[in-house]
Amino acid sequence: MPSGAVPSGTYGVGAAVTKPNCPEPPSNYSPFQAPGTVVKDIDGLEPGTNHGTAADKYAYPASVVNQWLQKPSTQPKNKKIVFVTFDDGPTTKFTGEQLDNLEKAGARATFFMIAPQIRDVNKNMLTRSLKMGNALAIHSYSHDYKYLYHGSAADKAKHISCDWDWAIAQNRAVLGSDYFSSAFRHPGGHMSWSNLSQSDAALAKRGVSWIDWNAMSGDADVQRPTTVPGYLEMVKKSIKESDNPNVVVILNHDTFGKQMTAEAMPSILSWLKSQGYEFGVIS
Ligand SMILES: [Zn+2]
């Protein structure tokens, strides 16, 4: 499925990676110097997308998946699709372990990345992920709730769009000038915050849609499961409670400390397969 309209102009595909037109959002990383040149695409990237060509047949734009979640009557009638998602990576250890899990299961996932963290991982891992059929999407540049969500609706729109602008500039500096992802996952989830309609409009102008989730392994809950079977039970329970069984978007994390998510994923993927789900990615 095509990824939808890819914008042109400052943030258009193929443009030189330039410094965004707003101050750099707060970050734990040293300041990002945009290269000011067109960056060669990483091996495995299909230009204009966030994935490789192998993923074309099961990649769905975030706007479509969001519509399915918001309005279940629009969901495909005769198939079950699951979108396994990982937030807060990439990290060499945990992203690497999840890639091993996905490969063994013949499954794929969408990785919502904190952009500056891609400086920490080997490019070969990102290429491997793309060639396996996964998608590399945008989670944030700052991942800073105070910066993103403080103040008026206009403040939020200004900061969230600035955060996105820096995130895509950072991603393009590593993944290539043709990288584009319509999928944006708000830190904490869109559902957790109010007065985001101006911000949503600012993102829409960039060709971007937000996407939350309707199921989870519970790995970021305060009262998270304490065993591997507990993670699988949480996935089953949240799918059941979502009352939305044909399209499932599962929240997980591949950042520091998420060892149990890595250990639980083989049984989660195997169960999803046994239930007849196809694995999709969000473009
Ligand atoms: Zn996050």
Side-chain angles (χ1 to χ4, degrees), residues 132-281:
M132 279 173 56
N134 301 306
L136 304 179
I138 294 178
H139 187 33
S140 189
Y141 187 90
S142 67
H143 207 285
D144 183 322
Y145 290 175
K146 190 158 179 275
Y147 169 77
L148 294 167
Y149 305 122
H150 188 74
S152 66
D155 291 334
K156 291 176 196 177
K158 192 166 101 183
H159 286 159
I160 291 169
S161 56
C162 180
D163 184 272
W164 188 87
D165 291 347
W166 280 85
I168 194 156
Q170 170 70 82
N171 282 4
R172 284 184 172 166
V174 174
L175 301 172
S177 291
D178 293 316
Y179 169 84
F180 181 74
S181 179
S182 81
F184 173 70
R185 172 166 287 157
H186 290 72
H190 189 279
M191 64 180 87
S192 302
W193 314 98
S194 55
N195 295 323
L196 292 182
S197 55
Q198 276 188 50
S199 156
D200 294 346
L203 291 173
K205 267 194 200 163
R206 290 159 169 79
V208 175
S209 300
W210 58 271
I211 182 73
D212 276 349
W213 57 89
N214 62 351
M216 62 179 81
S217 61
D219 66 353
D221 283 13
V222 178
Q223 293 190 317
R224 69 193 62 169
T226 53
T227 62
V228 163
Y231 276 52
L232 175 58
E233 282 314 306
M234 179 65 101
V235 168
K236 291 182 185 174
K237 181 169 171 270
S238 57
I239 290 176
K240 202 169 167 204
E241 285 174 358
S242 81
D243 201 22
N244 211 349
N246 283 355
V247 175
V248 174
V249 181
I250 305 179
L251 174 70
N252 307 281
H253 295 80
D254 59 335
T255 192
F256 309 102
K258 300 300 179 186
Q259 184 64 46
M260 202 170 279
T261 317
E263 287 169 18
M265 200 49 53
S267 58
I268 293 171
L269 296 174
S270 153
W271 180 78
L272 290 166
K273 282 164 78 175
S274 77
Q275 299 302 301
Y277 284 101
E278 287 177 25
F279 291 88
V281 299

Side-chain angles (χ1 to χ4, degrees), residues 25-135:
S27 151
N28 293 329
Y29 286 75
S30 55
F32 165 55
Q33 307 286 332
T37 54
V38 173
V39 175
K40 187 174 174 290
D41 295 339
I42 194 172
D43 201 15
L45 180 72
E46 180 185 7
T49 77
N50 67 358
H51 53 74
T53 48
D56 277 346
K57 44 188 178 301
Y58 53 77
Y60 297 88
S63 57
V64 170
V65 182
N66 198 10
Q67 164 89 352
W68 287 342
L69 295 194
Q70 302 296 319
K71 222 176 150 197
S73 63
T74 63
Q75 289 177 7
K77 296 282 178 286
N78 41 21
K79 65 171 162 183
K80 295 163 78 175
I81 310 176
V82 64
F83 299 92
V84 176
T85 68
F86 294 98
D87 288 10
D88 297 353
T91 56
T92 300
K93 178 172 164 59
F94 298 106
T95 308
E97 289 181 12
Q98 294 297 5
L99 291 178
D100 292 343
N101 288 333
L102 291 162
E103 195 164 53
K104 278 182 202 139
R108 46 250 172 181
T110 307
F111 291 85
F112 288 94
M113 306 186 300
I114 297 177
Q117 281 180 211
I118 66 177
R119 297 182 206 167
D120 286 347
V121 299
N122 192 305
K123 270 195 187 181
N124 291 339
M125 189 171 84
L126 302 169
T127 285
R128 177 189 175 203
S129 189
L130 291 169
K131 288 190 168 172
M132 279 173 56
N134 301 306

